[in-house]
């Protein structure tokens, strides 16, 4: 059965691929991002059940308006996906206050605004699915030059897990999920704060299509967390938490 789905960060990258595939299977979509013209054109390409709403997710008022627009257009929301995010290219000792503020605003507060906007609607309906897009870098320091980004995604993980625990007893049909991709071949590196000239995805990065396949499976089969490359990532996380020092030592070799 088709679902009503709100996706932030849908103008490019993972969010755009996800939107294209969900629209193709008949879901009803409201897409959010800042670039109004591109987003509007993209939504029109996807057909008459897809709409665009210009949103800066770092502004609570914009996110509340996005929720209102979704309810005005579709009457209800089944799935809300906090996918918008931004990286940084700066190591811990070089971070400024402004760097940290930007990472928290775009990767943590944005998702908090989304959660606080839509979950009361889910509670009224007794059902709904909230999905937050995190990163493998929130669990393991594979790329220390992402520093404050990694920290912000760790904060997002904690908010996600705490919300899930708050809701689970009273609202068993409200699902709260976390998606943990590794590196993905989008313009994420180039779009990162302080990105060096020519920054791009690392060799061996997953395609956004691979990530989206995992996200669509999550929409169809809600669960707490999804690694988008589980065969590799779950073992890495097990080894990391089993002995952080030994794992970090193995990374240096
Ligand atoms: O990133 P990119 P991805 N308000 O740069 C939007 C995570 N992830 O698709 O506003 C509203 O291609 C921006 O739109 P616009 C990552 O942390 C990625 O790869 O028009 N929207 C665009 O649509 C993020 O959470 C990798 O500029 C804002 C989109 O966000 C998610 O996956 C690895 C916005 C960014 O598109 C999607 O990333 C990983 C704002 N203030 C996790 N700021 C990876 N790619 O390697 C940005 O582990 N956007």
């Amino acid at each position: 059965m088709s679902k009503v789905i709100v996706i932030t960060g849908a103008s490019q990258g993972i969010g755009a691929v996800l939107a294209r595939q969900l629209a193709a299977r008949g879901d009803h979509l409201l897409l959010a991002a800042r670039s109004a013209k591109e987003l509007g054109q993209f939504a029109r390409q996807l057909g008459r059940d897809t709409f665009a709403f210009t949103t800066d997710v770092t502004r609570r008022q914009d996110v509340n308006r996005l929720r209102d627009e979704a309810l005005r257009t579709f009457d209800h929301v089944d799935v809300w996906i906090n996918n918008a995010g931004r990286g940084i290219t700066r190591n811990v000792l070089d971070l400024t206050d402004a760097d940290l503020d930007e990472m928290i605003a775009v990767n943590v507060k944005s998702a908090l605004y989304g959660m606080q906007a839509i979950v009361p609607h889910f509670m009224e309906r007794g059902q709904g699915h909230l999905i937050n897009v995190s990163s493998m870098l929130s669990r393991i320091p594979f790329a220390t030059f992402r520093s404050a980004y990694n920290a912000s995604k760790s904060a997002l993980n904690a908010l996600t897990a705490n919300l899930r625990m708050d809701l689970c007893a009273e609202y068993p049909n409200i699902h709260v999920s976390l998606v943990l991709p590794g590196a993905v071949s989008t313009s994420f590196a180039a779009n990162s704060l302080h990105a060096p000239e020519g920054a791009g995805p690392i060799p061996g990065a997953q395609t956004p299509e691979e990530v989206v396949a995992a996200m669509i499976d999550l929409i169809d089969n809600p669960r707490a967390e999804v690694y988008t490359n589980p065969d590799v990532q779950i073992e890495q996380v097990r080894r990391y938490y089993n002995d952080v020092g030994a794992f970090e030592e193995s990374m240096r070799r």
Side-chain angles (χ1 to χ4, degrees):
M1 215 175 69
S2 69
K3 292 191 161 85
V4 174
I5 303 179
V6 177
I7 309 171
T8 71
S11 62
Q12 57 177 303
I14 294 167
V17 174
L18 179 63
R20 193 178 290 286
Q21 294 199 14
L22 292 174
R25 73 178 205 169
D27 288 319
H28 300 255
L29 308 179
L30 183 59
L31 310 183
R34 291 164 303 176
S35 28
K37 198 166 149 220
E38 291 80 357
L39 189 73
Q41 278 169 355
F42 178 55
R44 279 191 295 281
Q45 272 176 28
L46 299 192
R48 62 188 170 85
D49 293 325
T50 298
F51 299 85
F53 193 75
T54 309
T55 310
D56 181 342
V57 293
T58 65
R59 295 190 197 149
R60 185 187 282 276
Q61 216 178 31
D62 277 24
V63 178
N64 285 341
R65 285 198 195 114
L66 175 65
R67 183 262 332 268
D68 294 345
E69 180 69 10
L71 296 181
R72 198 183 61 74
T73 309
F74 301 114
D75 256 6
H76 74 277
V77 172
D78 295 302
V79 184
W80 179 288
I81 306 175
N82 288 313
N83 165 73
R86 190 181 189 198
I88 191 171
T89 312
R90 194 164 260 187
N91 294 82
V92 171
L93 292 184
D94 300 321
L95 288 172
T96 64
D97 286 8
D99 291 336
L100 195 59
D101 290 348
E102 164 72 6
M103 289 298 102
I104 296 296
V106 74
N107 296 317
V108 186
K109 284 183 162 183
S110 59
L112 178 69
Y113 299 156
M115 293 187 265
Q116 292 180 340
I118 203 61
V119 170
H121 168 68
F122 290 166
M123 290 161 86
E124 263 173 39
R125 294 188 81 210
Q127 64 183 75
H129 192 179
L130 186 287
I131 299 178
N132 288 333
V133 179
S134 182
S135 171
M136 186 66 170
L137 294 177
S138 67
R139 296 258 152 99
I140 303 181
F142 280 133
T144 55
F145 58 87
R146 297 267 182 252
S147 65
Y149 168 80
N150 305 343
S152 68
K153 291 293 192 179
S154 297
L156 177 63
N157 296 0
L159 293 181
T160 308
N162 281 270
L163 175 65
R164 184 168 50 241
M165 291 299 293
D166 284 345
L167 294 172
C168 66
E170 204 178 335
Y171 298 96
N173 293 321
I174 300 180
H175 305 287
V176 179
S177 304
L178 193 73
V179 177
L180 296 113
V184 189
S185 55
T186 65
S187 300
F188 173 82
N191 292 339
S192 292
L193 186 59
H194 311 306
E197 191 80 3
I202 58 169
Q206 278 196 303
T207 64
E209 286 74 14
E210 289 172 301
V211 173
V212 163
M215 292 175 75
I216 290 182
D217 184 60
L218 175 66
I219 291 169
D220 292 341
N221 305 286
R223 50 209 190 271
E225 293 195 346
V226 164
Y227 290 95
T228 64
N229 189 8
D231 293 347
V232 175
Q233 290 170 298
I234 290 174
E235 182 53 25
Q236 285 173 328
V237 170
R238 273 206 198 103
R239 282 203 299 118
Y240 181 73
Y241 285 103
N242 185 50
D243 188 335
V244 169
F247 191 96
E248 290 179 359
E249 179 65 32
S250 75
M251 282 167 60
R252 284 198 292 274
R253 271 187 247 122

